[in-house]
mmCIF file of all heavy atoms in Angstrom:
data_model
loop_
_atom_site.group_PDB
_atom_site.id
_atom_site.type_symbol
_atom_site.label_atom_id
_atom_site.label_comp_id
_atom_site.label_asym_id
_atom_site.label_seq_id
_atom_site.Cartn_x
_atom_site.Cartn_y
_atom_site.Cartn_z
ATOM 1 N N VAL A 99 14.436 9.820 18.745
ATOM 2 C CA VAL A 99 13.543 8.676 18.769
ATOM 3 C C VAL A 99 12.666 8.524 17.581
ATOM 4 O O VAL A 99 12.364 7.489 17.092
ATOM 5 C CB VAL A 99 12.751 8.694 20.119
ATOM 6 C CG1 VAL A 99 13.643 8.570 21.321
ATOM 7 C CG2 VAL A 99 11.759 9.860 20.159
ATOM 8 N N LEU A 153 4.909 11.725 15.929
ATOM 9 C CA LEU A 153 5.462 12.888 16.588
ATOM 10 C C LEU A 153 6.476 12.428 17.659
ATOM 11 O O LEU A 153 6.322 11.344 18.262
ATOM 12 C CB LEU A 153 4.324 13.655 17.365
ATOM 13 C CG LEU A 153 4.787 14.884 18.029
ATOM 14 C CD1 LEU A 153 3.788 16.092 17.724
ATOM 15 C CD2 LEU A 153 4.763 14.772 19.598
ATOM 16 N N GLY A 154 7.542 13.180 17.859
ATOM 17 C CA GLY A 154 8.583 12.847 18.846
ATOM 18 C C GLY A 154 8.201 13.392 20.219
ATOM 19 O O GLY A 154 7.486 12.792 20.968
ATOM 20 N N ALA A 155 8.569 14.684 20.469
ATOM 21 C CA ALA A 155 8.260 15.320 21.615
ATOM 22 C C ALA A 155 8.419 16.786 21.524
ATOM 23 O O ALA A 155 9.307 17.252 20.595
ATOM 24 C CB ALA A 155 9.095 14.817 22.853
ATOM 25 N N VAL A 156 7.830 17.664 22.359
ATOM 26 C CA VAL A 156 7.991 19.075 22.226
ATOM 27 C C VAL A 156 8.345 19.649 23.562
ATOM 28 O O VAL A 156 8.059 19.085 24.614
ATOM 29 C CB VAL A 156 6.766 19.815 21.725
ATOM 30 C CG1 VAL A 156 6.365 19.408 20.301
ATOM 31 C CG2 VAL A 156 5.593 19.668 22.673
ATOM 32 N N GLY A 157 9.010 20.813 23.615
ATOM 33 C CA GLY A 157 9.287 21.552 24.880
ATOM 34 C C GLY A 157 10.699 21.379 25.291
ATOM 35 O O GLY A 157 11.551 20.654 24.774
ATOM 36 N N GLY A 158 11.052 22.151 26.309
ATOM 37 C CA GLY A 158 12.354 22.118 26.905
ATOM 38 C C GLY A 158 12.710 23.450 27.575
ATOM 39 O O GLY A 158 11.901 24.386 27.538
ATOM 40 N N SER A 162 10.717 27.371 28.398
ATOM 41 C CA SER A 162 9.888 27.148 29.589
ATOM 42 C C SER A 162 9.688 28.351 30.543
ATOM 43 O O SER A 162 9.141 28.220 31.605
ATOM 44 C CB SER A 162 10.472 26.007 30.443
ATOM 45 O OG SER A 162 10.343 24.784 29.719
ATOM 46 N N GLU A 171 4.223 23.525 23.829
ATOM 47 C CA GLU A 171 3.176 22.674 24.138
ATOM 48 C C GLU A 171 1.866 23.070 23.435
ATOM 49 O O GLU A 171 0.999 22.254 23.181
ATOM 50 C CB GLU A 171 2.959 22.485 25.616
ATOM 51 C CG GLU A 171 4.177 21.730 26.343
ATOM 52 C CD GLU A 171 5.422 22.600 26.652
ATOM 53 O OE1 GLU A 171 5.423 23.811 26.326
ATOM 54 O OE2 GLU A 171 6.365 22.074 27.235
ATOM 55 N N LEU A 174 1.430 21.302 20.171
ATOM 56 C CA LEU A 174 0.884 19.982 20.342
ATOM 57 C C LEU A 174 -0.594 19.907 20.674
ATOM 58 O O LEU A 174 -1.387 19.136 20.074
ATOM 59 C CB LEU A 174 1.646 19.234 21.409
ATOM 60 C CG LEU A 174 1.295 17.807 21.763
ATOM 61 C CD1 LEU A 174 1.309 16.937 20.471
ATOM 62 C CD2 LEU A 174 2.204 17.194 22.764
ATOM 63 N N ARG A 178 -3.678 18.304 18.308
ATOM 64 C CA ARG A 178 -4.610 17.332 18.812
ATOM 65 C C ARG A 178 -6.078 17.739 18.519
ATOM 66 O O ARG A 178 -6.914 17.052 18.125
ATOM 67 C CB ARG A 178 -4.351 17.028 20.185
ATOM 68 C CG ARG A 178 -3.136 16.249 20.573
ATOM 69 C CD ARG A 178 -2.825 16.222 22.061
ATOM 70 N NE ARG A 178 -1.676 15.427 22.414
ATOM 71 C CZ ARG A 178 -1.045 15.442 23.602
ATOM 72 N NH1 ARG A 178 -1.606 16.130 24.614
ATOM 73 N NH2 ARG A 178 0.052 14.710 23.865
ATOM 74 N N SER A 336 10.278 1.967 32.627
ATOM 75 C CA SER A 336 10.835 3.234 32.095
ATOM 76 C C SER A 336 9.765 4.001 31.342
ATOM 77 O O SER A 336 8.919 3.420 30.579
ATOM 78 C CB SER A 336 11.997 3.031 31.224
ATOM 79 O OG SER A 336 12.343 4.239 30.558
ATOM 80 N N LEU A 337 9.736 5.336 31.517
ATOM 81 C CA LEU A 337 8.899 6.164 30.726
ATOM 82 C C LEU A 337 9.196 5.950 29.206
ATOM 83 O O LEU A 337 8.313 6.230 28.361
ATOM 84 C CB LEU A 337 9.114 7.595 31.150
ATOM 85 C CG LEU A 337 8.106 8.776 30.775
ATOM 86 C CD1 LEU A 337 6.711 8.368 31.103
ATOM 87 C CD2 LEU A 337 8.581 10.016 31.519
ATOM 88 N N GLY A 338 10.395 5.666 28.876
ATOM 89 C CA GLY A 338 10.751 5.548 27.482
ATOM 90 C C GLY A 338 10.141 4.361 26.797
ATOM 91 O O GLY A 338 10.357 4.202 25.550
ATOM 92 N N GLU A 354 2.602 9.003 19.137
ATOM 93 C CA GLU A 354 3.775 9.663 19.891
ATOM 94 C C GLU A 354 3.988 8.744 21.137
ATOM 95 O O GLU A 354 3.123 8.234 21.720
ATOM 96 C CB GLU A 354 3.511 11.076 20.261
ATOM 97 C CG GLU A 354 2.095 11.281 20.864
ATOM 98 C CD GLU A 354 1.965 12.786 21.371
ATOM 99 O OE1 GLU A 354 2.786 13.293 21.941
ATOM 100 O OE2 GLU A 354 0.794 13.296 21.144
ATOM 101 N N PRO A 355 5.308 8.701 21.461
ATOM 102 C CA PRO A 355 5.631 8.089 22.825
ATOM 103 C C PRO A 355 5.038 8.964 23.870
ATOM 104 O O PRO A 355 4.818 10.149 23.650
ATOM 105 C CB PRO A 355 7.165 8.103 22.877
ATOM 106 C CG PRO A 355 7.577 9.198 21.879
ATOM 107 C CD PRO A 355 6.578 9.231 20.786
ATOM 108 N N ILE A 356 4.792 8.416 25.062
ATOM 109 C CA ILE A 356 4.151 9.240 26.043
ATOM 110 C C ILE A 356 5.155 10.152 26.725
ATOM 111 O O ILE A 356 4.741 11.100 27.439
ATOM 112 C CB ILE A 356 3.327 8.425 27.131
ATOM 113 C CG1 ILE A 356 4.175 7.814 28.187
ATOM 114 C CG2 ILE A 356 2.514 7.357 26.466
ATOM 115 C CD1 ILE A 356 3.403 7.487 29.562
ATOM 116 N N HIS A 357 6.445 9.900 26.638
ATOM 117 C CA HIS A 357 7.414 10.719 27.265
ATOM 118 C C HIS A 357 7.624 12.020 26.673
ATOM 119 O O HIS A 357 7.092 12.274 25.522
ATOM 120 C CB HIS A 357 8.795 9.922 27.359
ATOM 121 C CG HIS A 357 9.477 9.756 26.048
ATOM 122 N ND1 HIS A 357 10.027 10.680 25.291
ATOM 123 C CD2 HIS A 357 9.550 8.571 25.331
ATOM 124 C CE1 HIS A 357 10.492 10.153 24.210
ATOM 125 N NE2 HIS A 357 10.227 8.884 24.167
ATOM 126 N N GLY A 358 8.320 12.898 27.351
ATOM 127 C CA GLY A 358 8.563 14.256 26.797
ATOM 128 C C GLY A 358 9.939 14.352 26.065
ATOM 129 O O GLY A 358 10.517 13.340 25.632
ATOM 130 N N SER A 359 10.428 15.582 26.059
ATOM 131 C CA SER A 359 11.644 15.829 25.283
ATOM 132 C C SER A 359 12.924 15.483 26.050
ATOM 133 O O SER A 359 14.060 15.653 25.518
ATOM 134 C CB SER A 359 11.777 17.335 24.927
ATOM 135 O OG SER A 359 11.670 18.109 26.098
ATOM 136 N N ALA A 360 12.776 15.073 27.291
ATOM 137 C CA ALA A 360 13.891 14.573 28.099
ATOM 138 C C ALA A 360 15.086 15.358 27.978
ATOM 139 O O ALA A 360 16.213 14.866 27.547
ATOM 140 C CB ALA A 360 14.163 13.085 27.790
ATOM 141 N N PRO A 361 15.089 16.675 28.241
ATOM 142 C CA PRO A 361 16.144 17.612 28.031
ATOM 143 C C PRO A 361 17.478 17.136 28.764
ATOM 144 O O PRO A 361 18.578 17.402 28.290
ATOM 145 C CB PRO A 361 15.678 18.959 28.679
ATOM 146 C CG PRO A 361 14.272 18.797 29.097
ATOM 147 C CD PRO A 361 13.936 17.375 28.853
ATOM 148 N N ASP A 362 17.298 16.371 29.842
ATOM 149 C CA ASP A 362 18.489 15.929 30.583
ATOM 150 C C ASP A 362 19.360 14.919 29.767
ATOM 151 O O ASP A 362 20.603 14.738 30.100
ATOM 152 C CB ASP A 362 18.114 15.356 31.941
ATOM 153 C CG ASP A 362 17.026 14.281 31.845
ATOM 154 O OD1 ASP A 362 16.247 14.298 30.876
ATOM 155 O OD2 ASP A 362 16.962 13.392 32.705
ATOM 156 N N ILE A 363 18.885 14.240 28.803
ATOM 157 C CA ILE A 363 19.627 13.266 28.007
ATOM 158 C C ILE A 363 19.603 13.649 26.584
ATOM 159 O O ILE A 363 20.080 12.793 25.684
ATOM 160 C CB ILE A 363 19.084 11.840 28.304
ATOM 161 C CG1 ILE A 363 17.667 11.764 27.921
ATOM 162 C CG2 ILE A 363 19.379 11.445 29.692
ATOM 163 C CD1 ILE A 363 17.147 10.305 27.821
ATOM 164 N N ALA A 368 21.127 8.754 24.008
ATOM 165 C CA ALA A 368 20.869 8.009 25.170
ATOM 166 C C ALA A 368 19.425 7.699 25.346
ATOM 167 O O ALA A 368 19.091 6.840 26.259
ATOM 168 C CB ALA A 368 21.316 8.794 26.431
ATOM 169 N N ALA A 369 18.551 8.285 24.522
ATOM 170 C CA ALA A 369 17.179 8.056 24.839
ATOM 171 C C ALA A 369 16.778 6.636 24.368
ATOM 172 O O ALA A 369 17.198 6.095 23.333
ATOM 173 C CB ALA A 369 16.378 9.068 24.049
ATOM 174 N N ASN A 370 15.827 6.049 24.987
ATOM 175 C CA ASN A 370 15.249 4.804 24.629
ATOM 176 C C ASN A 370 14.164 5.040 23.505
ATOM 177 O O ASN A 370 13.237 5.729 23.765
ATOM 178 C CB ASN A 370 14.529 4.187 25.839
ATOM 179 C CG ASN A 370 14.017 2.728 25.638
ATOM 180 O OD1 ASN A 370 13.930 2.338 24.475
ATOM 181 N ND2 ASN A 370 13.791 2.063 26.698
ATOM 182 N N ASP A 411 18.193 3.714 30.587
ATOM 183 C CA ASP A 411 17.044 3.782 31.537
ATOM 184 C C ASP A 411 16.612 2.358 31.965
ATOM 185 O O ASP A 411 15.946 2.254 32.936
ATOM 186 C CB ASP A 411 15.876 4.500 30.864
ATOM 187 C CG ASP A 411 15.499 3.918 29.519
ATOM 188 O OD1 ASP A 411 16.502 3.591 28.719
ATOM 189 O OD2 ASP A 411 14.356 3.770 29.173
HETATM 190 P P1 NAD B 295 10.190 13.904 30.194
HETATM 191 O O1 NAD B 295 9.234 12.808 29.843
HETATM 192 O O2 NAD B 295 10.761 14.656 29.150
HETATM 193 O O3 NAD B 295 11.344 13.297 31.114
HETATM 194 C C1 NAD B 295 11.089 12.733 32.428
HETATM 195 C C2 NAD B 295 12.276 11.736 32.786
HETATM 196 O O4 NAD B 295 12.162 10.624 31.971
HETATM 197 C C3 NAD B 295 13.629 12.368 32.422
HETATM 198 O O5 NAD B 295 14.567 12.002 33.451
HETATM 199 C C4 NAD B 295 14.055 11.754 31.139
HETATM 200 O O6 NAD B 295 15.424 11.663 30.891
HETATM 201 C C5 NAD B 295 13.345 10.387 31.146
HETATM 202 N N1 NAD B 295 12.979 9.946 29.802
HETATM 203 C C6 NAD B 295 11.967 10.480 29.151
HETATM 204 N N2 NAD B 295 11.990 9.813 27.919
HETATM 205 C C7 NAD B 295 13.004 8.955 27.940
HETATM 206 C C8 NAD B 295 13.422 8.044 26.994
HETATM 207 N N3 NAD B 295 12.888 7.902 25.747
HETATM 208 N N4 NAD B 295 14.491 7.251 27.290
HETATM 209 C C9 NAD B 295 15.092 7.359 28.484
HETATM 210 N N5 NAD B 295 14.686 8.264 29.426
HETATM 211 C C10 NAD B 295 13.621 9.060 29.180
HETATM 212 O O7 NAD B 295 9.339 14.847 31.214
HETATM 213 P P2 NAD B 295 9.654 16.317 31.781
HETATM 214 O O8 NAD B 295 11.157 16.336 32.097
HETATM 215 O O9 NAD B 295 8.710 16.536 32.795
HETATM 216 O O10 NAD B 295 9.357 17.327 30.619
HETATM 217 C C11 NAD B 295 10.371 17.803 29.683
HETATM 218 C C12 NAD B 295 9.633 18.632 28.571
HETATM 219 O O11 NAD B 295 8.903 17.727 27.767
HETATM 220 C C13 NAD B 295 8.684 19.648 29.050
HETATM 221 O O12 NAD B 295 8.872 20.738 28.292
HETATM 222 C C14 NAD B 295 7.314 19.016 28.795
HETATM 223 O O13 NAD B 295 6.292 19.936 28.487
HETATM 224 C C15 NAD B 295 7.659 18.181 27.560
HETATM 225 N N6 NAD B 295 6.741 17.049 27.352
HETATM 226 C C16 NAD B 295 6.334 16.823 26.063
HETATM 227 C C17 NAD B 295 5.565 15.691 25.714
HETATM 228 C C18 NAD B 295 5.184 15.528 24.305
HETATM 229 O O14 NAD B 295 5.643 16.190 23.469
HETATM 230 N N7 NAD B 295 4.252 14.614 24.004
HETATM 231 C C19 NAD B 295 5.261 14.850 26.787
HETATM 232 C C20 NAD B 295 5.668 15.062 28.020
HETATM 233 C C21 NAD B 295 6.452 16.158 28.300
#
Side-chain angles (χ1 to χ4, degrees):
V99 299
L153 183 135
V156 299
S162 292
E171 291 80 0
L174 179 54
R178 291 170 177 172
S336 167
L337 193 52
E354 46 174 319
I356 82 160
H357 65 74
S359 59
D362 51 334
I363 57 167
N370 187 344
D411 54 317

